[in-house]
Amino acid sequence: GEVLRFGTGLGPRLSELAIIVTGRRWSAQVEWFVHARIAADAGLEATVIEAIRDGRAPPFTAPDDALVYEYARLLLQEGDVTPALHARAVAQFGVRGVVELTALVGYYSMVAMTLNAHEVPLPGDAPDPLTRPKRGLFTLPPADPPP
């Protein structure tokens, strides 16, 4: 986990973006609570973070952000990505970067499931930052603009 969090070639901004996309998909309150703040500190715009939280298409200004979002979103919702998206990610981040991105999404999915299953409370009895769907996982819209 430490290597995925701090040691990828993606850097903090893109890593934290992938983590909050994952946390939102699973409606993992603690994961979101912790990582949305870190994502903001890493330079991810508040409008993007709020859109992801609320289930709106994030208004990306950086193409790398849109690419990471869309890769994580599709991987989480479909269990796979399109060949074209995979090729764009490899062209941008290299094979190693895409393997790290995939592993990051998988690892933080496991963290989210653990936090949810064991009902880990938020620090200091903070209110839940995310609205959960009545059933199933949260659906994320495509990136705006698409990568």
Side-chain angles (χ1 to χ4, degrees):
E2 185 175 327
V3 170
L4 289 172
R5 172 97 187 280
F6 301 110
T8 73
L10 297 170
R13 177 188 176 104
L14 296 177
S15 292
E16 292 300 329
L17 173 57
I19 294 168
I20 66 169
V21 170
T22 303
R24 186 61 192 110
R25 173 69 171 152
W26 288 98
S27 297
Q29 304 295 348
V30 173
E31 192 166 277
W32 180 271
F33 181 86
V34 170
H35 289 279
R37 292 176 185 194
I38 298 169
D41 290 344
L44 195 62
E45 296 92 343
T47 55
V48 168
I49 296 169
E50 291 164 7
I52 294 169
R53 180 195 64 210
D54 298 342
R56 294 178 282 111
F60 291 112
T61 56
D64 284 359
D65 292 352
L67 184 56
V68 165
Y69 173 86
E70 196 61 17
Y71 188 95
R73 183 189 78 82
L74 279 178
L75 187 58
L76 288 159
Q77 289 186 184
E78 306 295 330
D80 201 355
V81 297
T82 65
L85 181 61
H86 186 269
R88 284 197 305 274
V90 168
Q92 185 62 30
F93 306 119
V95 171
R96 179 180 175 165
V98 176
V99 169
E100 291 172 340
L101 176 56
T102 304
L104 194 62
V105 170
Y107 176 77
Y108 277 93
S109 288
M110 184 270 303
V111 170
M113 288 187 284
T114 302
L115 293 167
N116 287 349
H118 298 285
E119 298 178 348
V120 175
L122 288 165
D125 295 323
D128 288 347
L130 302 173
T131 303
R132 297 179 68 110
K134 291 184 182 190
R135 191 144 167 76
L137 301 178
F138 191 81
T139 301
L140 295 159
D144 181 30

